[in-house]
Amino acid sequence: MTPQFGFIKLTDAFTTGSSIMPQKKNPDAAELVRAKVGRLLGSFTQLTVVMKGLPLAYSKDMQEDKVPTFEAFDALELSLAAMAGMIADLEPVAARMAQAAGAGFSTATDLADWLVRTLDMPFRDAHHVTGAAVKRAEILGCDLADLPLSELQALSQGITAEVYDVLTPRASAGSRKSYGGTSPEQVRAQIARWKEMLK
């Protein structure tokens, strides 16, 4: 939500104003849940210390396990409700996310992979060509996808216009099709899997 990122928006239902900056929205639910982790870890530590010294069966020590157990349960129940509400409330800012996904030459590995796959170039050489392409793009003040074909061909003559098909964040994410990968099909499969598991 910060101006530096701006990836999501939350309504006033899950935010409050800053005590000093009237324009600021503080994500209260997330901040409070972050703090509740301390209570949960404290309860866990208390329980493990109580239980560690027990012999085989019930001992009077175990009358001390109720308070941390119930405190942890209450904190967890509240945290889950708060986060579920906040997630339902948030609105992604797709344009900002897409801009960030393409920053920092994020498709450089895709270029190297393309050189290996298409030109049968050894990865060591592909790594070198890709590094030179990134350096040239930095000098010209552009991204890899905006680097003129002539610039790429000056680094390796076999490069063709088809290379641009792999130089977008969307193409990069879509190319990872193995189990748990970032392709839309894999992401949808994982969403369906977890929805089924969490029923």
Side-chain angles (χ1 to χ4, degrees):
M1 285 178 55
T2 61
Q4 295 87 348
F5 293 94
F7 293 164
I8 64 165
K9 293 178 182 176
L10 285 170
T11 69
D12 291 346
F14 286 87
T15 61
T16 59
S18 163
S19 57
I20 192 170
M21 295 176 278
Q23 82 285 5
K24 190 168 179 252
K25 284 180 152 187
N26 293 319
D28 290 347
E31 291 177 358
L32 291 169
V33 168
R34 182 175 58 195
K36 290 288 184 192
V37 173
R39 181 176 295 233
L40 290 167
L41 286 174
S43 295
F44 175 73
T45 302
Q46 186 176 349
L47 281 168
T48 55
V49 170
V50 167
M51 301 303 289
K52 70 151 180 69
L54 294 184
L56 183 61
Y58 176 83
S59 295
K60 290 287 185 185
D61 310 46
M62 289 178 67
Q63 65 187 347
E64 291 295 322
D65 67 358
K66 308 305 180 282
V67 171
T69 299
F70 295 137
E71 281 185 351
F73 182 84
D74 290 344
L76 179 60
E77 187 178 40
L78 179 63
S79 297
L80 290 173
M83 290 305 292
M86 193 183 78
I87 295 300
D89 183 68
L90 73 80
E91 177 189 341
V93 183
R96 289 294 295 264
M97 291 173 149
Q99 182 184 13
F105 304 104
S106 63
T107 59
T109 302
D110 299 277
L111 173 57
D113 289 344
W114 185 90
L115 293 168
V116 170
R117 187 174 57 250
T118 307
L119 304 184
D120 202 26
M121 185 181 287
F123 189 80
R124 176 190 296 263
D125 296 338
H127 190 281
H128 175 75
V129 170
T130 300
V134 167
K135 186 172 184 178
R136 191 68 188 137
E138 285 178 330
I139 291 169
L140 296 176
C142 66
D143 198 8
L144 284 174
D146 303 315
L147 201 58
L149 183 59
S150 59
E151 292 283 348
L152 290 168
Q153 288 174 333
L155 302 171
S156 179
Q157 292 180 346
I159 296 177
T160 64
E162 283 76 34
V163 73
Y164 293 106
D165 293 340
V166 302
L167 294 182
T168 65
R170 184 180 296 274
S172 178
S175 69
R176 272 56 178 190
K177 296 181 180 179
S178 60
Y179 181 79
T182 55
S183 71
E185 299 83 12
Q186 283 297 320
V187 171
R188 280 193 288 272
Q190 288 298 319
I191 290 170
R193 174 176 172 258
W194 282 102
K195 279 184 174 179
E196 185 62 31
M197 289 181 71
L198 295 171
K199 271 186 183 177

